[in-house]
Amino acid sequence: MAAISLRQLDLSYNKINVIPECISSLKELRFLVLKSNRLRRIGRELAGLDNVQMLCFSENTITQVDMESIRCIKNVRTLCLHSNRIPANVVSNLRDMASERHIDIRLAENCTDTSRKDFQEQLRKCLNMDKPTYEWDVFITSTDEDEDLVENQILPKVEEEWGFKACTNYRDYIPGMGKLADINIRMEKSKCMLIIITSDTEVKKIPGALEATEMYSDAQTTGGGGHHFLRQTPKIIPVLWNKETKEPMEFKTLTFVQRKTTHQEKYFWDQIHKSIKQSLYLIY
């Protein structure tokens, strides 16, 4: 039962030739990493992974990709396939699908059926298109109960006084899109994520908060290739809004902006401003 509820699975550097069929039974899986193995194809083994948000098959020898299998994964937001042997026509099909589905896809160093000159040109295009693009400077998220706080106190500072481009979990959503996919788009398209925590906040009720910390943790613990994932994960800035607010265990590895002491109160807004500003220049 424990394996069935697994959310992260990293099988990198294991000389695996085929994707294990049993993976399809992991219905709660969110992150699947099979980097630097000996995979030659992606087939129907991924069918049924409806909750997967990130797939990484980089640095294998993949030449075949079952497009229908990828399309069936409804919530995938990041697909890493760089450094394989995927033909140019399949690369093109993958890019078209990624554009339609708003999937962040990595396809550099593929296209083995092209000449060396064509390959180098394709590589330059891939590297340019693989750079993360951002729509917002900061994604501000809170519980429903704290929306007035964000609207009346935080947004005026962030947008009007400081001039940052912000999005929120309650104002900038896309009607008709799945909630998880919608939140993931705003996380991936924002340079940083301001998580507002008040004294009565349950972290699990803050849209995207737990997902962001899981992605951040996974990026830090994925040996060797973690930097690929950090580029897609916004800088997380947890804000303890009230003096009596306790630090949630979910963010135990992060530093907080808080106002428990006189000096912390004095520099509270300066710390938020500095944290957002610094994230605009981070290069992972």
Side-chain angles (χ1 to χ4, degrees):
M1 181 62 72
I4 299 298
S5 62
L6 192 68
R7 294 165 69 93
Q8 301 181 27
L9 180 61
D10 188 345
L11 297 174
S12 300
Y13 308 100
N14 278 298
K15 301 180 180 180
I16 296 172
N17 294 310
V18 296
I19 300 173
E21 292 185 3
C22 60
I23 282 179
S24 63
S25 66
L26 302 177
K27 303 300 182 182
E28 298 301 316
L29 197 64
R30 301 289 183 88
F31 306 98
L32 175 60
V33 183
L34 281 158
K35 177 183 175 180
S36 295
N37 282 288
R38 296 177 179 176
L39 300 177
R40 298 185 62 83
R41 66 186 301 273
I42 298 175
R44 299 292 296 173
E45 301 89 351
L46 303 180
L49 297 181
D50 293 338
N51 290 310
V52 162
Q53 299 173 18
M54 187 201 73
L55 294 169
C56 178
F57 302 110
S58 299
E59 299 176 23
N60 282 277
T61 57
I62 296 170
T63 58
Q64 300 177 43
V65 179
D66 187 329
M67 294 294 298
E68 191 59 35
S69 177
I70 301 295
R71 287 193 181 96
C72 288
I73 305 176
K74 301 176 182 178
N75 287 309
V76 65
R77 303 308 318 151
T78 302
L79 179 58
C80 298
L81 287 166
H82 68 78
S83 306
N84 279 287
R85 300 177 183 177
I86 303 173
N89 64 314
V90 179
V91 167
S92 178
N93 292 336
L94 285 165
R95 287 204 180 282
D96 289 343
M97 180 200 68
S99 178
E100 294 171 5
R101 298 263 309 273
H102 302 288
I103 296 172
D104 185 3
I105 194 165
R106 309 299 169 93
L107 285 165
E109 299 182 49
N110 276 291
C111 315
T112 56
D113 59 347
T114 62
S115 66
R116 181 176 181 83
K117 183 177 179 181
D118 289 342
F119 171 77
Q120 289 174 341
E121 179 63 26
Q122 184 75 28
L123 177 59
R124 281 193 292 270
K125 291 180 180 179
C126 287
L127 287 172
N128 183 59
M129 294 182 72
D130 282 348
K131 292 179 181 178
T133 56
Y134 298 104
E135 187 171 343
W136 298 285
D137 296 323
V138 55
F139 170 35
I140 305 171
T141 185
S142 68
T143 61
D144 293 346
E145 292 77 12
D146 294 329
E147 287 179 4
D148 285 343
L149 184 154
V150 173
E151 185 72 19
N152 298 321
Q153 298 187 52
I154 298 175
L155 279 177
K157 279 275 189 183
V158 172
E159 293 185 319
E160 298 171 20
E161 184 175 333
W162 298 337
F164 295 125
K165 188 174 182 181
C167 68
T168 72
N169 59 293
Y170 63 86
R171 183 186 66 181
D172 303 287
Y173 63 90
I174 304 173
M177 179 174 284
K179 291 183 178 179
L180 181 59
D182 178 61
I183 287 293
N184 276 328
I185 287 176
R186 275 175 283 169
M187 287 167 55
E188 292 170 1
K189 296 297 183 181
S190 300
K191 294 184 179 180
C192 68
M193 186 173 179
L194 205 63
I195 302 176
I196 307 303
I197 307 166
T198 62
S199 55
D200 299 322
T201 297
E202 290 185 51
V203 172
K204 64 182 180 181
K205 292 184 178 181
I206 304 176
L210 294 183
E211 288 81 3
T213 53
E214 287 173 5
M215 290 173 68
Y216 185 84
S217 175
D218 181 74
Q220 287 191 313
T221 57
T222 303
H227 61 282
H228 293 301
F229 309 134
L230 273 173
R231 290 199 305 170
Q232 306 156 50
T233 308
K235 175 185 177 182
I236 300 171
I237 308 170
V239 179
L240 303 182
W241 190 259
N242 304 316
K243 290 183 178 180
E244 63 273 17
T245 304
K246 296 181 180 179
E247 298 182 2
M249 287 297 296
E250 293 88 345
F251 302 111
K252 61 183 179 181
T253 61
L254 300 174
T255 54
F256 295 81
V257 177
Q258 52 189 322
R259 58 200 329 174
K260 291 185 178 181
T261 69
T262 302
H263 289 96
Q264 288 174 348
E265 175 68 36
K266 178 181 178 180
Y267 298 109
F268 179 73
W269 287 108
D270 286 342
Q271 288 285 6
I272 294 177
H273 180 255
K274 182 172 66 175
S275 297
I276 297 173
K277 187 175 181 179
Q278 286 179 342
S279 71
L280 306 187
Y281 305 104
L282 287 178
I283 300 176
Y284 296 112

